[in-house]
Amino acid sequence: MEMKMGIEEQVSVVARNAKHNLKLIKRTPTICNPEDLDKNIKFLEMMVRLHKTDLKAQKNARRAGRALSLRTRLKSLLSSILADERRKRKEGTA
């Protein structure tokens, strides 16, 4: 059975995993390739920081319209593209 999660849920899972992996790498650095250790730590810290920044942005949005979900933004973009295509077809046939 396949679980369907929204973008927000996926982001929170990734951030939770990044926190766990960061703690694990810092506790036992031998589990990671020594050449990539700094790069991996910076990447995981960036993932956690991005999640915190996104949560703050959603929390600080005063109006509901300012914090549109990704799905809503994609639907809006797609509808504008389709409307433009329809307009071009009508101009070409006239």
Side-chain angles (χ1 to χ4, degrees):
M1 187 170 117
E2 182 179 320
M3 286 182 43
K4 293 184 180 181
M5 292 192 297
I7 298 293
E8 291 83 10
E9 290 90 12
Q10 290 177 4
V11 168
S12 66
V13 168
V14 168
R16 194 173 339 123
N17 290 341
K19 286 179 187 179
H20 170 74
N21 292 338
L22 185 60
K23 286 179 186 177
L24 190 64
I25 287 176
K26 286 184 175 181
R27 200 176 322 136
T28 56
T30 57
I31 63 172
C32 188
N33 185 359
E35 297 171 356
D36 296 334
L37 184 64
D38 280 342
K39 184 172 55 172
N40 290 341
I41 289 174
K42 287 179 183 177
F43 176 76
L44 292 171
E45 288 173 344
M46 179 195 64
M47 294 299 288
V48 172
R49 198 170 44 249
L50 284 174
H51 180 63
K52 286 181 182 178
T53 304
D54 185 50
L55 288 177
K56 283 182 184 178
Q58 288 178 3
K59 186 177 181 180
N60 290 336
R62 291 191 181 115
R63 293 179 281 151
R66 287 183 55 195
L68 294 176
S69 69
L70 178 62
R71 180 174 182 247
T72 306
R73 287 183 275 170
L74 289 174
K75 284 171 62 175
S76 172
L77 179 62
L78 184 62
S79 65
S80 68
I81 291 171
L82 291 175
D84 190 45
E85 287 296 320
R86 287 186 195 128
R87 215 175 302 120
K88 285 180 183 176
R89 276 193 237 130
K90 284 183 180 178
E91 289 173 358
T93 59

